[in-house]
Amino acid sequence: MLTRIDHVGIVVHDLDASLKTYCDDLGFRLLQRVSIPEQMVEAAFLDAGNGTIELIAPTDESSGTARFLQNRGEGTHHICFEVDDIAAALETLRGQGLRLIDETPRQGVHGLVAFVHPKATHGTMIELLQKHE
Ligand code: CO
């Protein structure tokens, strides 16, 4: 059902500073930088060969990402897996009693997305992604 890892999401304080580290020092290539106003974040996607890295920085102190930073500091925030049919995947997970953050898929940067609660998955939030055609 979860067919492959699409990206690993990492929350950071400062997107420019993190891009300097990941691109200049670690050698990753920037694919895309986007603002996601409804989530109050800015994100950058880096080419990691068999997947991407998503660096995420809050643009507002009231965002969930800002709360994550306050509580846990910078670091891995979620792992995103690609699915063929996100509605069917959510239905299956719900049937298994897994706690979901999103009961229905919503529009993400690269397709339809939904998050599974980290308490349901031993501490790591999982993002499901059904890519745009
Ligand atoms: Co993501």
Side-chain angles (χ1 to χ4, degrees):
M1 184 168 64
L2 310 182
T3 53
R4 58 175 279 278
I5 291 180
D6 182 79
H7 65 265
V8 175
I10 300 171
V11 167
V12 300
H13 283 293
D14 180 330
L15 199 58
D16 289 314
S18 70
L19 280 171
K20 192 173 178 314
T21 303
Y22 277 79
C23 295
D24 295 356
D25 301 337
L26 295 173
F28 290 106
R29 187 169 59 92
L30 176 64
L31 295 172
Q32 182 187 21
R33 182 170 176 158
V34 288
S35 174
I36 311 169
E38 61 273 23
Q39 300 288 320
M40 293 180 277
V41 298
E42 206 186 357
F45 290 89
L46 312 178
D47 183 2
N50 55 355
T52 59
I53 292 172
E54 177 186 21
L55 300 172
I56 310 153
T59 54
D60 190 283
E61 281 310 304
S62 66
S63 68
T65 306
R67 281 199 305 279
F68 179 92
L69 270 174
Q70 280 152 21
N71 294 334
R72 295 173 65 171
E74 292 187 306
T76 306
H77 178 258
H78 64 272
I79 300 175
C80 177
F81 295 95
E82 194 174 341
V83 296
D84 292 329
D85 182 340
I86 195 167
L90 281 177
E91 197 52 51
T92 301
L93 296 181
R94 196 175 8 255
Q96 284 155 344
L98 287 195
R99 184 168 162 195
L100 305 175
I101 291 174
D102 298 298
E103 290 295 331
T104 54
R106 55 190 170 80
Q107 198 58 56
V109 179
H110 299 122
L112 291 172
V113 301
F115 285 89
V116 181
H117 201 284
K119 289 220 187 316
T121 51
H122 301 262
T124 299
M125 184 152 69
I126 287 179
E127 178 180 8
L128 308 177
L129 166 67
Q130 180 184 330
K131 284 194 166 177
H132 293 308
E133 290 305 312

